[in-house]
Amino acid sequence: MFKKILIANRGEIALRVIRTCKEMGIKTVAVYSQADVNAMHVRMADESVCIGPSESAKSYLSIPSIISACEITGSEAVHPGYGFLSENAMFAEILRDHGIKFIGPSVPHINTMGDKINAKNKMEEFNVPCVPGSDGAINSIDDAYTAARKIGFPVLLKAAAGGGGIGMKIVFEENQLETLLLQAKSESKKSFNDDTIYMEKYLERPRHIEIQVFGDGEGNAVYLGERDCSLQRRHQKVLEESPSPGVMAEEIKKIGEISANAISKMKYEGAGTIEYLYENKNFFFIEMNTRLQVEHPVTEAVFGIDLVREQISVAFGTGMSFSQESLEPRGHAIECRINAERLPNFSPSPGNIKEFHSPGGIGIRMDSAIYNGFTVPPHYDSLIGKLIVHADNRPMAIRRLARALDELIIDGVYTTVDLFKEILTEDHFKSGEYNIHWLENFLAKQEK
Ligand code: MV4
């Protein structure tokens, strides 16, 4: 097994990876920016290296600094966590060229999935159902008219380099098409330095269902159920759960097998997430993420497995510990993303944590890197913790979550904790009747 792994990340995910490494007897190296001198991941790792100033671009995103930290410490592998360099093919390639193992999929797989048009083509090759759309890029306004007439309005323009909704434009009628195409192109150019746009049928009320997949790089692949991530605000997930209250187990089995088959045929290595929109009992592929996701603990709870352990094991070449037949989901899990943000605008609320008390007890997992006296720096994402509950069924998970939220104390910064207490009492949440628009409508109602 690897003797030493460097974690190219910060916050709760850095701790999450360190925990598994410790259990596997692997030494850990933390990297940190000047803003994170007192961060918990630095204290929990066996060694640490300062890789630059506070700005992410000069520290957590600095490939040369991270490579140097690997060389200085003799790290054999890098776990990228999520965000930062986790889906950066250039980073994976440079590590490879330095003989350092990137814990994640191969460079070509990261590249393919990073381009949403290539990703769709690849998935279509393996008979994964996709949203009806343009045949690749829209290269002219004539292309756009032809595609839109074929697909039927409303259509959605998307950036090939995109994700996160940037450059996305809903087009309801033909006379808006030219203007919105130009806007999509200019936004995409600005954000990604790439103005490639493609078109899809706009699905009006879908759920966002993602399938967790895992491959060993040699053609063995499994799916680990789904996560319903429909509760989002401005493309930021807020609460995730598994199983989805809106999809039946046999439907998951079908799309899961299709997803695992694609991963197997591709010889994909490591953890991945295949994102679908689900509407009127149909799944439509939209994107694939080639990283461990923020919400992975929901899957870990339901399947009783450690995805990071499996990532490390597959990266080393020891294979996965499970087969599809050995995987059995149990009960229900819900995750709340706790952000240092002030409602109702969700404006960032960095600052000093005066008091922190974590909930506990049966079925509770609190993944966080904050502590009493810790100062949440203003330079990074506002996620300060994830509360994950697991119970025998969804109603019990909801009650357990309400209990855990009552136990949780975070003083000193504003947080999104109270929002969860309110969501849990809503009839449409309790009945599971929600889609990707429900949360924003709920928040708009509350504003009044
Ligand atoms: C869509 C869609 C409707 N139809 N594609 C938003 C971000 C990007 N990753 C994909 N997104 C969407 N793609 C088609 N063809 C609606 C969304 C969307 C959305 C998707 C998942 C969760 C929340 C969302 C909120 C707004 C729009």
Side-chain angles (χ1 to χ4, degrees), residues 52 113 123 193 215 261 267 276 291 298 302 316 362 389 394 414 422:
M113 298 308 164
M123 288 300 177
N193 196 32
N261 175 63
K267 294 197 168 23
Y276 295 92
R291 61 173 189 277
V298 164
V302 167
F316 188 73
I362 192 164
V389 302
R394 189 169 187 271
Y414 289 97
E422 288 164 18

PDB file of all heavy atoms in Angstrom, residues 52 113 123 193 215 261 267 276 291 298 302 316 362 389 394 414 422:
ATOM      1  N   GLY A  52       1.639  28.588  -0.065  1.00  0.00           N
ATOM      2  CA  GLY A  52       1.450  29.913  -0.653  1.00  0.00           C
ATOM      3  C   GLY A  52       0.489  30.790   0.117  1.00  0.00           C
ATOM      4  O   GLY A  52      -0.019  30.416   1.169  1.00  0.00           O
ATOM      5  N   MET A 113     -14.843  14.025 -19.907  1.00  0.00           N
ATOM      6  CA  MET A 113     -16.020  14.448 -19.134  1.00  0.00           C
ATOM      7  C   MET A 113     -16.016  15.951 -18.866  1.00  0.00           C
ATOM      8  O   MET A 113     -17.056  16.534 -18.588  1.00  0.00           O
ATOM      9  CB  MET A 113     -16.111  13.658 -17.826  1.00  0.00           C
ATOM     10  CG  MET A 113     -16.288  12.158 -18.053  1.00  0.00           C
ATOM     11  SD  MET A 113     -17.659  11.799 -19.178  1.00  0.00           S
ATOM     12  CE  MET A 113     -17.314  10.108 -19.618  1.00  0.00           C
ATOM     13  N   MET A 123     -21.309   8.951 -23.647  1.00  0.00           N
ATOM     14  CA  MET A 123     -22.393   8.232 -22.975  1.00  0.00           C
ATOM     15  C   MET A 123     -23.364   7.633 -23.989  1.00  0.00           C
ATOM     16  O   MET A 123     -23.855   6.525 -23.800  1.00  0.00           O
ATOM     17  CB  MET A 123     -23.132   9.169 -22.016  1.00  0.00           C
ATOM     18  CG  MET A 123     -22.325   9.518 -20.791  1.00  0.00           C
ATOM     19  SD  MET A 123     -21.892   8.025 -19.857  1.00  0.00           S
ATOM     20  CE  MET A 123     -20.908   8.739 -18.568  1.00  0.00           C
ATOM     21  N   ASN A 193     -13.004  30.858 -21.163  1.00  0.00           N
ATOM     22  CA  ASN A 193     -12.164  31.134 -22.329  1.00  0.00           C
ATOM     23  C   ASN A 193     -12.481  30.148 -23.462  1.00  0.00           C
ATOM     24  O   ASN A 193     -11.590  29.670 -24.168  1.00  0.00           O
ATOM     25  CB  ASN A 193     -10.678  31.080 -21.949  1.00  0.00           C
ATOM     26  CG  ASN A 193      -9.815  31.734 -23.017  1.00  0.00           C
ATOM     27  OD1 ASN A 193     -10.257  32.683 -23.674  1.00  0.00           O
ATOM     28  ND2 ASN A 193      -8.612  31.214 -23.209  1.00  0.00           N
ATOM     29  N   GLY A 215     -15.312   2.330 -10.525  1.00  0.00           N
ATOM     30  CA  GLY A 215     -14.652   1.363 -11.404  1.00  0.00           C
ATOM     31  C   GLY A 215     -13.232   1.103 -10.946  1.00  0.00           C
ATOM     32  O   GLY A 215     -12.634   1.921 -10.246  1.00  0.00           O
ATOM     33  N   ASN A 261     -22.556  -0.115 -16.601  1.00  0.00           N
ATOM     34  CA  ASN A 261     -22.090  -0.693 -17.866  1.00  0.00           C
ATOM     35  C   ASN A 261     -21.197   0.299 -18.627  1.00  0.00           C
ATOM     36  O   ASN A 261     -20.141  -0.075 -19.149  1.00  0.00           O
ATOM     37  CB  ASN A 261     -23.287  -1.104 -18.724  1.00  0.00           C
ATOM     38  CG  ASN A 261     -22.852  -1.596 -20.089  1.00  0.00           C
ATOM     39  OD1 ASN A 261     -22.145  -2.599 -20.202  1.00  0.00           O
ATOM     40  ND2 ASN A 261     -23.225  -0.884 -21.141  1.00  0.00           N
ATOM     41  N   LYS A 267     -13.618   1.469 -18.969  1.00  0.00           N
ATOM     42  CA  LYS A 267     -12.530   1.114 -18.056  1.00  0.00           C
ATOM     43  C   LYS A 267     -12.187   2.311 -17.154  1.00  0.00           C
ATOM     44  O   LYS A 267     -11.026   2.674 -16.948  1.00  0.00           O
ATOM     45  CB  LYS A 267     -11.290   0.640 -18.821  1.00  0.00           C
ATOM     46  CG  LYS A 267     -11.493  -0.666 -19.585  1.00  0.00           C
ATOM     47  CD  LYS A 267     -10.140  -1.233 -19.935  1.00  0.00           C
ATOM     48  CE  LYS A 267     -10.077  -2.636 -20.448  1.00  0.00           C
ATOM     49  NZ  LYS A 267     -11.201  -3.252 -21.051  1.00  0.00           N
ATOM     50  N   TYR A 276     -28.165  12.893 -13.812  1.00  0.00           N
ATOM     51  CA  TYR A 276     -29.326  12.806 -14.686  1.00  0.00           C
ATOM     52  C   TYR A 276     -30.381  13.808 -14.248  1.00  0.00           C
ATOM     53  O   TYR A 276     -30.458  14.179 -13.070  1.00  0.00           O
ATOM     54  CB  TYR A 276     -29.975  11.422 -14.592  1.00  0.00           C
ATOM     55  CG  TYR A 276     -29.111  10.286 -15.093  1.00  0.00           C
ATOM     56  CD1 TYR A 276     -28.287   9.584 -14.216  1.00  0.00           C
ATOM     57  CD2 TYR A 276     -29.131   9.910 -16.430  1.00  0.00           C
ATOM     58  CE1 TYR A 276     -27.499   8.532 -14.660  1.00  0.00           C
ATOM     59  CE2 TYR A 276     -28.346   8.851 -16.888  1.00  0.00           C
ATOM     60  CZ  TYR A 276     -27.539   8.164 -16.000  1.00  0.00           C
ATOM     61  OH  TYR A 276     -26.759   7.133 -16.442  1.00  0.00           O
ATOM     62  N   ARG A 291     -14.938  13.125  -9.876  1.00  0.00           N
ATOM     63  CA  ARG A 291     -14.342  13.318  -8.551  1.00  0.00           C
ATOM     64  C   ARG A 291     -15.219  12.669  -7.480  1.00  0.00           C
ATOM     65  O   ARG A 291     -16.353  12.259  -7.766  1.00  0.00           O
ATOM     66  CB  ARG A 291     -14.260  14.814  -8.246  1.00  0.00           C
ATOM     67  CG  ARG A 291     -15.649  15.455  -8.238  1.00  0.00           C
ATOM     68  CD  ARG A 291     -15.659  16.894  -7.776  1.00  0.00           C
ATOM     69  NE  ARG A 291     -17.022  17.370  -7.580  1.00  0.00           N
ATOM     70  CZ  ARG A 291     -17.807  17.835  -8.527  1.00  0.00           C
ATOM     71  NH1 ARG A 291     -17.382  17.908  -9.766  1.00  0.00           N
ATOM     72  NH2 ARG A 291     -19.035  18.234  -8.248  1.00  0.00           N
ATOM     73  N   VAL A 298     -23.666  10.457   1.989  1.00  0.00           N
ATOM     74  CA  VAL A 298     -25.031   9.930   1.901  1.00  0.00           C
ATOM     75  C   VAL A 298     -24.976   8.485   1.370  1.00  0.00           C
ATOM     76  O   VAL A 298     -25.627   7.578   1.912  1.00  0.00           O
ATOM     77  CB  VAL A 298     -25.879  10.857   0.988  1.00  0.00           C
ATOM     78  CG1 VAL A 298     -27.156  10.188   0.540  1.00  0.00           C
ATOM     79  CG2 VAL A 298     -26.176  12.170   1.697  1.00  0.00           C
ATOM     80  N   VAL A 302     -25.739   4.781   3.384  1.00  0.00           N
ATOM     81  CA  VAL A 302     -26.740   3.819   2.924  1.00  0.00           C
ATOM     82  C   VAL A 302     -26.096   2.470   2.574  1.00  0.00           C
ATOM     83  O   VAL A 302     -26.708   1.422   2.765  1.00  0.00           O
ATOM     84  CB  VAL A 302     -27.531   4.425   1.735  1.00  0.00           C
ATOM     85  CG1 VAL A 302     -28.352   3.368   1.031  1.00  0.00           C
ATOM     86  CG2 VAL A 302     -28.435   5.556   2.229  1.00  0.00           C
ATOM     87  N   PHE A 316      -4.018   2.290  -5.893  1.00  0.00           N
ATOM     88  CA  PHE A 316      -2.795   1.506  -5.646  1.00  0.00           C
ATOM     89  C   PHE A 316      -2.740   0.255  -6.514  1.00  0.00           C
ATOM     90  O   PHE A 316      -1.673  -0.286  -6.773  1.00  0.00           O
ATOM     91  CB  PHE A 316      -2.717   1.117  -4.160  1.00  0.00           C
ATOM     92  CG  PHE A 316      -1.413   0.481  -3.800  1.00  0.00           C
ATOM     93  CD1 PHE A 316      -0.242   1.238  -3.721  1.00  0.00           C
ATOM     94  CD2 PHE A 316      -1.325  -0.892  -3.563  1.00  0.00           C
ATOM     95  CE1 PHE A 316       0.974   0.656  -3.406  1.00  0.00           C
ATOM     96  CE2 PHE A 316      -0.111  -1.484  -3.247  1.00  0.00           C
ATOM     97  CZ  PHE A 316       1.037  -0.709  -3.165  1.00  0.00           C
ATOM     98  N   ILE A 362     -26.677   8.011  17.829  1.00  0.00           N
ATOM     99  CA  ILE A 362     -26.834   6.986  16.802  1.00  0.00           C
ATOM    100  C   ILE A 362     -27.275   7.596  15.470  1.00  0.00           C
ATOM    101  O   ILE A 362     -28.113   8.493  15.433  1.00  0.00           O
ATOM    102  CB  ILE A 362     -27.813   5.889  17.295  1.00  0.00           C
ATOM    103  CG1 ILE A 362     -27.764   4.675  16.376  1.00  0.00           C
ATOM    104  CG2 ILE A 362     -29.228   6.434  17.452  1.00  0.00           C
ATOM    105  CD1 ILE A 362     -28.386   3.440  17.013  1.00  0.00           C
ATOM    106  N   VAL A 389     -27.370  12.269   8.433  1.00  0.00           N
ATOM    107  CA  VAL A 389     -28.078  11.345   9.325  1.00  0.00           C
ATOM    108  C   VAL A 389     -28.461  10.106   8.544  1.00  0.00           C
ATOM    109  O   VAL A 389     -28.698  10.154   7.338  1.00  0.00           O
ATOM    110  CB  VAL A 389     -29.344  11.974   9.954  1.00  0.00           C
ATOM    111  CG1 VAL A 389     -28.997  13.223  10.729  1.00  0.00           C
ATOM    112  CG2 VAL A 389     -30.408  12.257   8.908  1.00  0.00           C
ATOM    113  N   ARG A 394     -37.207   6.999   5.687  1.00  0.00           N
ATOM    114  CA  ARG A 394     -37.162   8.449   5.498  1.00  0.00           C
ATOM    115  C   ARG A 394     -37.830   9.231   6.630  1.00  0.00           C
ATOM    116  O   ARG A 394     -37.234  10.205   7.130  1.00  0.00           O
ATOM    117  CB  ARG A 394     -37.755   8.824   4.132  1.00  0.00           C
ATOM    118  CG  ARG A 394     -37.541  10.295   3.773  1.00  0.00           C
ATOM    119  CD  ARG A 394     -37.888  10.562   2.305  1.00  0.00           C
ATOM    120  NE  ARG A 394     -37.525  11.929   1.928  1.00  0.00           N
ATOM    121  CZ  ARG A 394     -38.336  12.972   2.047  1.00  0.00           C
ATOM    122  NH1 ARG A 394     -39.559  12.818   2.548  1.00  0.00           N
ATOM    123  NH2 ARG A 394     -37.923  14.172   1.696  1.00  0.00           N
ATOM    124  N   TYR A 414     -22.920  33.611  11.038  1.00  0.00           N
ATOM    125  CA  TYR A 414     -24.255  33.212  10.588  1.00  0.00           C
ATOM    126  C   TYR A 414     -24.135  31.904   9.827  1.00  0.00           C
ATOM    127  O   TYR A 414     -23.131  31.666   9.150  1.00  0.00           O
ATOM    128  CB  TYR A 414     -24.852  34.286   9.668  1.00  0.00           C
ATOM    129  CG  TYR A 414     -25.227  35.552  10.400  1.00  0.00           C
ATOM    130  CD1 TYR A 414     -24.359  36.649  10.426  1.00  0.00           C
ATOM    131  CD2 TYR A 414     -26.445  35.646  11.063  1.00  0.00           C
ATOM    132  CE1 TYR A 414     -24.694  37.812  11.095  1.00  0.00           C
ATOM    133  CE2 TYR A 414     -26.792  36.810  11.743  1.00  0.00           C
ATOM    134  CZ  TYR A 414     -25.913  37.882  11.758  1.00  0.00           C
ATOM    135  OH  TYR A 414     -26.260  39.040  12.422  1.00  0.00           O
ATOM    136  N   GLU A 422     -36.524  24.717   8.950  1.00  0.00           N
ATOM    137  CA  GLU A 422     -37.770  25.113   8.280  1.00  0.00           C
ATOM    138  C   GLU A 422     -38.126  24.151   7.154  1.00  0.00           C
ATOM    139  O   GLU A 422     -39.288  23.763   7.008  1.00  0.00           O
ATOM    140  CB  GLU A 422     -37.637  26.543   7.743  1.00  0.00           C
ATOM    141  CG  GLU A 422     -37.652  27.570   8.858  1.00  0.00           C
ATOM    142  CD  GLU A 422     -37.140  28.931   8.422  1.00  0.00           C
ATOM    143  OE1 GLU A 422     -37.091  29.192   7.199  1.00  0.00           O
ATOM    144  OE2 GLU A 422     -36.784  29.737   9.312  1.00  0.00           O
TER     145      GLU A 422
END
